[in-house]
Amino acid sequence: MTTEKPPAAASSSRTKPRHARSSVKSADRVLDILELLASTGRAMTHAEISRRTGIPKSSLTALLHNLVGRGYIEQLQDSQQFQLGEGAYALARRGAHNRDLLRAGEPWLQRLMHETGESAGLSVLRNDMAERIASAQSPDAVLYSVHVGVMQPLYASSAGKVLLAWLPPAEREAYLQRVKLQPRTKQTIRSVAVLRRQLHQIREDGVGWSFSEFTFGIVGLAVPVLDVHGRVLAALGLAMPASHLDDARKPKLLKVLRKAALEIAAATEQAKYPG
């Protein structure tokens, strides 16, 4: 008579929870530092941070140096105390800002797409690029795509030009001084002087255009989504084949686009200050 052997015990690596297997010590330590400083709300010494987190002082020194360099932590002048830096607060604000924009914008993107038959997108400034954070793609968009996450040069897209036009003057000028106008198509702007004139016109007209400048054969138009202080939150745009646009259609598209931008701005403001 034979007896069935019990199954071999699983190895420790296979029984650990997934998050434990993938844990990275340095990442955990960075999060421990940030969470500690956020929870206490005060500056703390190197020794106290080490004691409270259990991070050896030698390892903590390197982590704090990196976090200070990135602006997530700041060291108080002439002291060995550390507190959360502007980078950490800016990251939280940007995350909340984009979350509110997405919630406010997505219904209007769908509405724009259905009303116009064209693809719609919402873009924000990300360094020297326009990043599309939400979109509603027309089923007829067979020659191009309007995907979330696409990064476009500010000078080569309608949304990018709008974001650039509404930058504070000093920031806009700094960009114009450093930018290298790399052509995406034969129609891409290659002169800073031409770009300056376009940006001035965009501020005057309240709309930015791109004619085959990022994708050949595709026209883009965008308007700013402005907060109550007139600062740009995002650029709201439409993209379509050039054959879909004529002089008679332009004012109709601009009307629905501007209305949606106003509604998104109002909903974003409401999300920031509910009630």
Side-chain angles (χ1 to χ4, degrees):
M1 180 176 178
T2 59
T3 59
E4 188 173 306
K5 292 182 179 180
S11 68
S12 59
S13 65
R14 298 185 63 176
T15 57
K16 288 182 179 179
R18 183 176 179 180
H19 72 274
R21 296 202 309 273
S22 61
S23 176
V24 178
K25 182 182 291 185
S26 59
D28 281 339
R29 286 176 170 176
V30 166
L31 293 174
D32 287 344
I33 295 167
L34 294 175
E35 289 174 356
L36 174 63
L37 292 175
S39 65
T40 60
R42 61 178 175 83
M44 304 177 73
T45 64
H46 185 285
E48 185 179 6
I49 295 172
S50 176
R51 177 174 56 81
R52 295 279 295 271
T53 61
I55 302 173
K57 291 183 179 180
S58 56
S59 300
L60 179 60
T61 298
L63 292 174
L64 289 174
H65 177 77
N66 287 344
L67 288 168
V68 168
R70 295 289 292 271
Y72 292 109
I73 287 177
E74 61 184 27
Q75 184 175 0
L76 300 185
Q77 191 172 8
D78 300 324
S79 85
Q80 288 299 311
Q81 290 189 312
F82 299 86
Q83 64 185 16
L84 284 183
E86 178 56 30
Y89 294 111
L91 182 65
R93 288 195 299 268
R94 188 162 64 243
H97 165 77
N98 285 352
R99 179 198 61 205
D100 293 340
L101 267 176
L102 285 170
R103 289 177 179 173
E106 285 178 339
W108 282 97
L109 290 172
Q110 292 296 326
R111 184 166 174 175
L112 275 172
M113 186 267 290
H114 289 298
E115 286 187 6
T116 66
E118 310 295 353
S119 298
L122 190 67
S123 301
V124 298
L125 185 67
R126 187 74 70 234
N127 298 320
D128 283 350
M129 305 289 280
E131 180 184 7
R132 190 178 298 124
I133 61 171
S135 68
Q137 185 154 304
S138 167
D140 297 328
V142 294
L143 301 177
Y144 64 101
S145 59
V146 183
H147 294 309
V148 171
V150 169
M151 306 285 280
Q152 298 175 309
L154 298 180
Y155 58 85
S157 65
S158 57
K161 291 177 188 178
V162 164
L163 294 169
L164 183 56
W166 264 268
L167 273 180
E171 293 182 31
R172 184 169 62 249
E173 184 58 31
Y175 170 86
L176 293 172
Q177 292 291 334
R178 68 175 177 268
V179 66
K180 305 297 182 184
L181 300 177
Q182 302 292 338
R184 293 280 311 199
T185 73
K186 292 181 179 180
Q187 303 301 318
T188 305
I189 294 174
R190 305 190 186 198
S191 164
V192 171
V194 171
L195 180 56
R196 284 183 192 278
R197 289 196 295 270
Q198 282 200 15
L199 294 176
H200 176 75
Q201 196 64 49
I202 288 167
R203 287 295 297 251
E204 289 286 316
D205 299 341
V207 57
W209 296 89
S210 172
F211 296 96
S212 294
E213 295 168 45
F214 184 71
T215 303
F216 181 75
I218 301 302
V219 172
L221 64 155
V223 299
V225 179
L226 302 174
D227 68 11
V228 295
H229 303 290
R231 296 174 299 211
V232 67
L233 298 172
L236 179 66
L238 294 169
M240 66 202 73
S243 60
H244 288 197
L245 186 68
D246 55 36
D247 289 340
R249 198 176 183 218
K250 285 181 181 179
K252 298 175 184 177
L253 294 175
L254 282 172
K255 182 178 180 179
V256 296
L257 200 56
R258 285 170 170 151
K259 174 177 172 55
L262 288 173
E263 295 290 349
I264 291 171
T268 304
E269 188 71 12
Q270 178 65 26
K272 189 193 299 187
Y273 303 109

